[in-house]
Amino acid sequence: MIPRPVSVSLSGDVLLSDGSFDQRLDPSLPPSGYILDISPSGIDLAGGSSSGIFYGTQTLRQLMPAAALRSGAAGPWEVPCGRIVDSPRYEWRGVMLDVARHYMPVADVLRFIDLAAFHKLNVLHLHLTDDQGWRVEVPGWPRLTTVGSWRTSTMLGSRRHALFDGRPHGGYYTADDLREIVAFAAARHVTVVPEVDMPGHMQAAIAAYPSLGNGFEGPVRTSWGISSHVLNMTPATLDFCRAVLDHLCDIFPSPLIGIGGDECPVEEWGGDTTVQPRFTAQMALFLATRGRRVFGWDEILAGGAPPDAVIAAWRGPFPTAAAVAAGHQVVACPDISTYLDYRQSDDPLEPTPVGTLLTLADVYAFTPGVDSDLVLGGQANIWTEHMESARRVDYMAYPRLCAFAEAVWGPATFEDFTTRLDPHLTRLDALGVNYRPLTGPRPWDARPDAPGNPRTLPDRLTELAEMTADLRR
Ligand code: ACM
């Protein structure tokens, strides 16, 4: 960079420089790539497509002083002159948000997307349903939201402590809410991939409609962990699943539709492990009639996943390789590198420490670990059992999501990243992000009311090897 500044101001979404600001498409560039040229006579931004232009604009926003990111900031601002030639390493730069364990109001979801897009992430995997709450209104199935979206109490901290807050929790998204989320994301080049987790993680739906289950008549689950109450496989229940997926297809233009498929206990099916692969095949057939493909957790590899299914490989690093070996496109999201609910340090003030230690450096070191065109990219997953508000999500996500975004966009070094992180944190300050300070949690970040269950990496690796034994045979 030549340290000669040029003056730029931001007017709504339009960037104005004191010279010209030219934006143009250059099909010779990679689709999401861009070249940003800043000189005293003006700014020239060439993008391989409109997303390349968008990413070049995000870079320009990051070159401006942090104050330029504040609402109502008027400018003009100075940016350094220079030329940046840039393009992403992976086409899938995702983040999953669990809005089932804790409902997040639409405005907070929009803000979450805006921040992710600022970091050039381009997929929001929206985990819409789970045992503890159903968050999407489905025409013809009113009890999903009148019953399934509400629980009477919420567990505080890890399951092993069996503490509850005794307060009802709930909420759901209407079709209009979800269409707003989709449109807001699309304007920021983010694809929203919805997920309704099936045939396990379905207790909220079965609480609403016991006919979907195998005899369970009870409430939406209030404790964390996995319910043993799963869907039955009657024609009526399969029709229900198709109706839900049909509704998702109406709202979400994503070519992939998430059907979950993780952690499905088989006790209620008499231990029959062939039920789930047959179920998944049925759902894939239905989605194909709507021109869509299955997106599922790596458990769906067991017994053979539908040929065009895209796998979210989460149970450690191994399932990414297993998915590729089986010929599937795959998104790597190994828990021990990308699960942002895992604790950020061993500081005793760290809120609800669960999972293995996952520092900023650990997240930065993420790679899918397999070199294949079938690897679409990576995804960070934010499970919200212990995050009841956007403020808590901010704390767990940032700055680790900055590190993750850089790991999937293009490699630099962690050392270099840390030299750029301090000024970046002033940008997060300007954007009002409640990130975890690099110096550690503040007293008010602690959750003595919600104690955790920290794990060691060797223990988790042993557990993961056992969990994926079926994929190794
Ligand atoms: C998962 O973490 N159960 C996908």
Side-chain angles (χ1 to χ4, degrees), residues 387-444:
M387 295 171 228
E388 77 292 354
S389 65
R391 180 181 166 86
R392 289 253 173 239
V393 169
D394 274 10
Y395 179 91
M396 297 307 284
Y398 290 99
R400 290 187 297 182
L401 201 54
C402 311
F404 179 78
E406 197 161 300
V408 286
W409 179 273
T413 62
F414 183 65
E415 236 175 12
D416 183 56
F417 171 73
T418 51
T419 64
R420 288 178 280 109
L421 187 55
D422 271 333
H424 191 68
L425 294 181
T426 64
R427 291 179 201 117
L428 297 188
D429 283 327
L431 292 166
V433 180
N434 180 47
Y435 59 86
R436 176 189 180 276
L438 298 178
T439 47
R442 299 149 298 197
W444 54 89

Side-chain angles (χ1 to χ4, degrees), residues 201 262-263 297 299 314 339 383:
H201 286 284
D262 58 323
E263 302 175 319
W297 299 110
E299 283 91 335
W314 73 276
Y339 270 32
W383 298 103

Side-chain angles (χ1 to χ4, degrees), residues 26-234:
D26 178 349
S28 73
L29 295 175
S32 296
Y34 64 91
I35 298 178
L36 180 62
D37 255 316
I38 305 173
S39 73
S41 61
I43 296 176
D44 183 69
L45 173 59
S49 69
S50 59
S51 60
I53 299 273
F54 178 78
Y55 296 130
T57 307
Q58 299 320 302
T59 296
L60 189 52
R61 291 177 75 207
Q62 293 184 13
L63 288 169
M64 294 160 83
L69 297 168
R70 291 185 182 270
S71 308
W77 314 100
E78 292 193 339
V79 292
C81 290
R83 177 180 168 89
I84 296 173
V85 180
D86 197 13
S87 63
R89 181 180 181 191
Y90 290 112
E91 72 182 78
W92 186 299
R93 303 179 302 280
V95 59
M96 187 216 73
L97 184 63
D98 168 13
V99 291
R101 266 50 174 271
H102 278 102
Y103 171 74
M104 190 184 261
V106 172
D108 290 331
V109 176
L110 301 185
R111 175 178 169 278
F112 182 84
I113 293 169
D114 199 40
L115 287 169
F118 180 54
H119 291 86
K120 305 190 178 90
L121 297 175
N122 69 345
V123 177
L124 173 68
H125 168 182
L126 203 53
H127 182 77
L128 282 166
T129 67
D130 217 303
D131 295 317
Q132 295 84 3
W134 182 281
R135 308 274 172 243
V136 49
E137 195 174 40
V138 180
W141 297 89
R143 287 175 60 84
L144 289 174
T145 45
T146 57
V147 175
S149 298
W150 310 93
R151 59 177 180 256
T152 53
S153 183
T154 295
M155 189 166 242
L156 282 172
S158 157
R159 247 176 328 143
R160 65 189 282 211
H161 306 289
L163 297 169
F164 290 85
D165 68 1
R167 280 188 304 160
H169 175 84
Y172 62 87
Y173 304 102
T174 65
D176 282 347
D177 290 335
L178 293 170
R179 287 200 171 94
E180 181 178 0
I181 289 169
V182 167
F184 185 92
R188 289 156 182 78
H189 297 266
V190 172
T191 301
V192 184
V193 178
E195 178 196 341
V196 166
D197 206 343
M198 52 175 81
H201 286 284
M202 266 283 174
Q203 185 170 319
I206 297 167
Y209 292 100
S211 65
L212 298 172
N214 299 282
F216 173 73
E217 296 206 13
V220 174
R221 190 173 166 97
T222 54
S223 58
W224 307 133
I226 307 163
S227 171
S228 59
H229 304 302
V230 302
L231 294 179
N232 63 43
M233 292 291 135
T234 61

